[in-house]
């Protein structure tokens, strides 16, 4: 107990432990730091030992403990890397199921806002899908599936924001000649990839808006074709969302389009 108190309260004592050649002594100290919530100091000690423990009875525990240190410090990317190291080195190890789950959950915990790069989101989905393939009856499967669904929605939101930006740009600095067309393609692609997304109504009205605007701003030779496409889009929208909060707006686009087609 006295050793624990000294280790946890004295920087000098920590330095002595860190420099010690007694690996078992250092390991016990690392566990004391971990249990006390001093994850940074615990990780510093464990970093010096995990390789040395390889092949020993402490190898698996020390590696999973190091991964947990980084997870608790909210360094989720490093935590995920160590969880992967664990299940790669010990695919049938005592903590293999736990490590596979937390390799994905760590990345999930560190995902960014939808406007930012989503590389880790794709990695987290992949890790969690692999986890469910390896352990289909795990108690963590429901949580893993829920995380995947939330990440899918995040990816959809990112694409929705991209489509919305194209729409707002309109004819300004037109992408491939037409930002409205880019908006339509982006929105339709994400609806095809994620047909049950909660953003479907928002994406659908965005497509209708873009079709109307594209028709309105078209050269005369393309107006008829594009207004007809607007009408078709309106019918598809109204059929799928008969009580939509956007129905009044959609009706306006329809009336303008049908007026042009019938004149």
């Amino acid at each position: 107990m006295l050793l624990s108190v000294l280790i946890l309260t004295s920087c000098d004592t920590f330095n002595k432990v860190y420099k010690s050649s007694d690996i078992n002594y250092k390991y016990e100290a690392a566990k004391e730091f971990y249990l006390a919530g001093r994850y940074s100091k615990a990780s510093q000690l464990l970093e010096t030992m995990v390789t040395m423990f390889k092949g020993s009875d402490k190898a698996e525990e020390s590696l999973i403990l190091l991964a947990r240190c980084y997870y608790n410090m909210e360094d989720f990317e490093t935590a995920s890397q160590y969880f992967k190291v664990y299940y790669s080195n010990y695919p049938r190890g005592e903590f293999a199921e736990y490590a596979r789950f937390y390799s994905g959950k760590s990345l999930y915990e560190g995902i960014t806002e939808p406007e930012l790069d989503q590389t880790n989101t794709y990695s987290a989905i992949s890790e969690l899908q692999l986890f469910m393939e390896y352990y289909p009856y795990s108690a963590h499967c429901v949580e893993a599936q829920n995380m995947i669904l939330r990440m899918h929605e995040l990816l959809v939101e990112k694409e929705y924001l991209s489509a919305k930006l194209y729409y707002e740009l309109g004819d300004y600095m037109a992408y491939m000649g037409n930002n409205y067309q880019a908006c339509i393609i982006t929105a339709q692609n994400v609806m095809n990839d994620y047909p049950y997304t909660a953003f479907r109504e928002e994406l659908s009205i965005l497509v209708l808006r873009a079709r109307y605007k594209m028709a309105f701003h078209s050269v005369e030779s393309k107006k008829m074709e594009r207004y007809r496409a607007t009408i078709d889009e309106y019918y598809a929208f109204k059929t799928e969302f008969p009580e939509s909060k956007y129905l009044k707006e959609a009706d306006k686009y329809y009336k303008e389009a049908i007026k042009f087609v019938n004149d």
Side-chain angles (χ1 to χ4, degrees):
M1 184 66 180
L2 180 60
L3 174 63
S4 298
V5 173
L6 287 171
I7 289 172
L8 298 176
T9 58
S10 169
C11 288
D12 288 340
T13 304
F14 171 77
N15 289 333
K16 289 177 183 177
V17 173
Y18 186 80
K19 294 175 183 177
S20 174
S21 59
D22 187 339
I23 191 170
N24 292 315
Y25 170 68
K26 289 175 73 172
Y27 187 53
E28 291 305 315
K31 289 197 288 186
E32 292 284 354
F33 278 115
Y34 180 86
L35 291 172
R38 306 285 293 279
Y39 304 118
S40 178
K41 290 191 180 300
S43 66
Q44 288 179 62
L45 293 174
L46 289 165
E47 288 274 12
T48 67
M49 291 182 284
V50 288
T51 304
M52 297 171 68
F53 275 140
K54 196 167 185 179
S56 75
D57 59 350
K58 295 183 178 69
E60 293 186 40
E61 184 186 57
S62 62
L63 188 52
I64 210 74
L65 199 59
L66 180 57
R68 283 298 309 182
C69 281
Y70 282 108
Y71 182 86
N72 291 335
M73 288 191 290
E74 299 186 0
D75 184 348
F76 297 118
E77 193 163 348
T78 304
S80 179
Q81 289 171 1
Y82 275 113
F83 284 123
K84 288 179 188 177
V85 170
Y86 177 90
Y87 73 66
S88 297
N89 289 340
Y90 309 104
R92 294 182 178 82
E94 180 182 356
F95 307 104
E97 179 181 338
Y98 179 92
R100 279 196 175 274
F101 175 69
Y102 270 93
S103 67
K105 184 172 182 178
S106 297
L107 292 173
Y108 169 80
E109 296 287 1
I111 58 179
T112 56
E113 295 300 313
E115 296 89 346
L116 303 178
D117 180 69
Q118 295 301 313
T119 300
N120 278 357
T121 304
Y122 288 106
S123 297
I125 290 170
S126 177
E127 284 293 309
L128 290 169
Q129 286 175 334
L130 282 171
F131 163 75
M132 290 192 293
E133 288 178 20
Y134 275 91
Y135 303 100
Y137 305 109
S138 171
H140 293 299
C141 276
V142 172
E143 185 180 358
Q145 184 61 53
N146 287 336
M147 285 190 283
I148 289 171
L149 290 173
R150 286 194 288 271
M151 286 187 285
H152 281 168
E153 286 301 284
L154 180 66
L155 295 175
V156 170
E157 185 177 359
K158 181 177 176 62
E159 292 304 303
Y160 166 70
L161 292 172
S162 295
K164 189 177 178 184
L165 177 60
Y166 283 131
Y167 175 80
E168 290 169 350
L169 285 172
D171 287 333
Y172 177 71
M173 293 178 64
Y175 170 77
M176 297 294 287
N178 198 316
N179 282 310
Y180 295 123
Q181 184 64 28
C183 168
I184 292 166
I185 292 170
T186 301
Q188 287 179 331
N189 284 344
V190 75
M191 284 192 286
N192 289 335
D193 290 340
Y194 305 99
Y196 304 109
T197 175
F199 284 88
R200 189 170 180 87
E201 184 177 353
E202 303 292 335
L203 288 159
S204 296
I205 190 63
L206 193 56
V207 171
L208 178 56
R209 287 173 187 155
R211 287 207 181 279
Y212 171 77
K213 286 285 189 178
M214 188 162 65
F216 182 82
H217 291 290
S218 289
V219 296
E220 203 64 33
S221 61
K222 293 185 177 180
K223 279 185 181 291
M224 181 64 74
E225 174 191 353
R226 289 178 174 176
Y227 272 122
R228 288 187 185 279
T230 302
I231 293 168
D232 290 342
E233 198 69 49
Y234 165 80
Y235 284 129
F237 179 82
K238 190 172 182 180
T239 299
E240 187 167 1
F241 305 103
E243 298 180 6
S244 173
K245 61 185 177 181
Y246 299 113
L247 205 55
K248 187 175 180 180
E249 178 187 353
D251 287 341
K252 183 184 75 172
Y253 298 141
Y254 169 75
K255 288 174 184 175
E256 291 293 329
I258 203 75
K259 180 181 177 182
F260 180 90
V261 169
N262 289 339
D263 278 353

